[in-house]
Structures are given as C-alpha cells and as structure tokens.
Amino acid sequence: MCEVPGISAGLGWCDHADVYVVVQLCSDRTLARLEQAKRNGSTIIYCVCDRHFADGGVSVAGVQTEWRFRQLAEIAHAFIVPTTGMAEALKPYTNERQIFVVPDWKDYVDFEDRGLVEPSSVAAWFGNAGTGNYHAAEPYLVAAEDLGFEVRLISNAASFGPQHRYYDRVLQWRYETFVADLRESSFSIIAFDRFERQKSSNRLAASVMNGVPAILCGEGESAQTVLDLGFREVVVRKPFALHTAIDAVQDPIYRARYVSAAQSHFDNLLNEQNLTQKYILAINDARYKNGNT
C-alpha cells in the first residue's frame, strides 16, 4: 500500500491496531485475536475474494472454509469484495453491514515483464486445477490441441493424477517462476465457471500485464472487460469457435493493440494510488459506522 500521511499500516499481526483487515481465511489463533480486538473497540474488515460462504471444504491449512467464513463474518463490521457480482452474492450473509467493492491488486508485481511475447505454437492455462475454471477450460484446451497447438498448464502438479490428459505438461506453479513460464506461450486460455462474474479479473490481468494475450472462454468479468475495450474477437462461447480467437491473437498487429490497450486499462484500474484511496475510504467509513473517528 502507498504511504499515506497519518496512517501506519503493516502486514501480519499488530497489537493495538485501530483497524484489522483479514483476507480470505485465518488460523484459530488469529481468529481469537480478532475477536479480542473487536471487544477492545477495533474495527474488523473482512476481505472476501472467494465463495467460502457457499462452498464448504477444507483448506490446505486444514481450516473448514465455510465455518471459518461464518466466524469471520460474525465479527466483521464491514466487507471488501473485488466485484459487484460478489457483493450481490455476499449480501445474504452480511446482516446488512457495509460491502465495499475494491478490485484485487495486481499479482506477480515483483517479476512483471510487460514486453509482448512473440507468436508461437504454445498455448497456456494457469490456475487451480481443483476449481471449476479448469473444468470449464478443458474443452477449449482440447480444441487448441486439435488446431495443432501444444498445451501447457501452470498449476500444482500434484493435483493432476498420472492418468490425466495433460499430466506430462504441467509446470509446477511457483511465484518466482510463474511469469517466465507463462511467457513461454503465445497466448493463454482463460475459462470461467458459472460463478466467475463474482470473481476478479486477476487472471486476465496477470496474463496481459506480462505480455501474453489472453483468450476468454465463456461468460465472466474478464470477458466483459475485453468486450468493453473493443476486442470481441478474443471472447468465445463455444470450443468450436476457438479458432477465430486464435487467428486474432496470432496476428502481430492485433495482439500488440490488444495487449497495449489491456495494459493501459489495468494500469488505470489497479495503480497503487487509486487502490489505496479506495481502501482509505472503505476503512474510514467502516470506522465511522463503528463509532470511531
């Protein structure tokens, strides 16, 4: 976050803070600390980026996700979400408390490489293989193969069984190597599950901000973003239409215009000053409603 006069902010736990922003889930210990902080008068803001309120399960840290969501939602004075769609979905769980819409920050900023990659015969998919987004993408990945493209996946290799179609083409995701691995492809394929409209455009941003044109498959926030930018050719609804989007992104002039326009869009939307001000407004409003000034 940008430095703001009169505000001291930090990552991790800090005793005696006026405001705590908790993202996604947390440990039992942190939950207990937040409960005590609320009793001491601190303002609690819960940042909800995924559908933990509806999709129960166990996280990699062993936390029951729906239960933890409900525990955090019970003590939160306000909520932050990345899209208006997520705000609408979250409303029934907030007991009429405030919901602020603030886009997600850019990912992989430490390794950002904005230079446009050259066209090649490699297509990439990246993300969590355990989500609906991967299952939505599979028919498009098959279609890309049928068109003669090599498909590579950047994900957690352990989530793909040895009998999986793409098992031998999974690159293990690591924060430090993701951008370099992604830039080995000519374009990315991003597909959406039916809840995508509630999620941010962070996968689209991660691709185009690192010089890799993205093809958007299905309905979603990301698809609407590129439609609004005037690049309807890269939005496809059915696998049999994938070739039209590939023809577009493989054209050097088109891909340059597309990536340049998308980078400008995310520069304006996700710059630190803009996002910091959105957080300050949300925090100040939540504090005021909590009786603090």
Side-chain angles (χ1 to χ4, degrees):
M1 182 177 286
C2 297
E3 291 187 9
V4 179
I7 295 179
S8 175
L11 294 173
W13 185 260
C14 175
D15 289 327
H16 312 300
D18 297 312
V19 179
Y20 292 91
V21 180
V22 56
V23 180
Q24 296 287 60
L25 305 169
C26 67
S27 67
D28 292 344
R29 184 186 184 197
T30 299
L31 177 63
R33 284 174 160 181
L34 290 169
E35 290 170 336
Q36 183 59 52
K38 181 177 181 177
R39 289 191 289 269
N40 292 340
S42 296
T43 300
I44 311 297
I45 300 177
Y46 184 13
C47 185
V48 181
C49 304
D50 281 313
R51 291 175 48 83
H52 296 308
F53 49 85
D55 301 332
V58 178
S59 73
V60 293
V63 175
Q64 214 293 337
T65 57
E66 187 177 354
W67 293 354
R68 185 52 37 90
F69 164 82
R70 293 181 183 276
Q71 290 168 320
L72 288 169
E74 185 176 343
I75 65 172
H77 294 99
F79 300 80
I80 289 175
V81 296
T83 65
T84 54
M86 182 68 83
E88 288 298 319
L90 188 63
K91 271 185 181 179
Y93 304 90
T94 63
N95 195 24
E96 299 185 349
R97 280 163 288 175
Q98 293 168 289
I99 303 176
F100 301 96
V101 178
V102 181
D104 283 344
W105 297 73
K106 287 190 295 183
D107 293 327
Y108 309 105
V109 292
D110 298 316
F111 300 94
E112 187 172 282
D113 186 344
R114 298 167 67 104
L116 180 65
V117 301
E118 293 294 326
S120 70
S121 60
V122 179
W125 177 90
F126 60 93
N128 181 353
T131 69
N133 292 325
Y134 172 70
H135 297 297
E138 258 195 311
Y140 295 94
L141 300 179
V142 172
E145 274 195 316
D146 291 343
L147 292 168
F149 287 83
E150 177 187 348
V151 171
R152 295 178 185 170
L153 284 66
I154 308 173
S155 186
N156 179 8
S159 61
F160 293 85
Q163 304 306 315
H164 191 276
R165 180 186 188 102
Y166 299 110
Y167 179 74
D168 60 345
R169 279 170 282 170
V170 178
L171 298 175
Q172 178 61 43
W173 175 90
R174 293 184 180 86
Y175 180 75
E176 297 81 3
T177 60
F178 171 79
V179 169
D181 288 340
L182 179 64
R183 286 179 55 81
E184 291 295 319
S185 57
S186 179
F187 57 89
S188 66
I189 291 177
I190 300 175
F192 322 114
D193 68 16
R194 61 195 180 96
F195 296 118
E196 175 67 19
R197 283 195 176 277
Q198 299 169 13
K199 299 178 183 178
S200 74
S201 297
N202 60 336
R203 287 188 295 153
L204 169 61
S207 190
V208 296
M209 294 308 294
N210 288 293
V212 180
I215 293 175
L216 296 313
C217 305
E219 305 282 347
E221 183 94 4
S222 298
Q224 191 58 52
T225 295
V226 296
L227 288 173
D228 292 343
L229 291 173
F231 295 92
R232 60 179 178 80
E233 294 85 358
V234 298
V235 177
V236 293
R237 309 299 189 196
K238 299 293 183 182
F240 66 76
L242 183 66
H243 68 95
T244 60
I246 291 179
D247 287 345
V249 297
Q250 291 291 86
D251 176 76
I253 295 175
Y254 184 95
R255 69 194 279 119
R257 287 197 304 110
Y258 169 33
V259 169
S260 176
Q263 287 182 349
S264 295
H265 168 76
F266 286 116
D267 280 338
N268 292 328
L269 180 68
L270 305 179
N271 68 76
E272 286 191 355
Q273 292 77 15
N274 184 23
L275 291 178
T276 298
Q277 287 305 312
K278 288 181 181 294
Y279 270 95
I280 289 172
L281 290 172
I283 288 169
N284 284 341
D285 205 0
R287 291 188 69 208
Y288 177 78
K289 293 290 177 62
N290 190 32
N292 297 316
T293 58

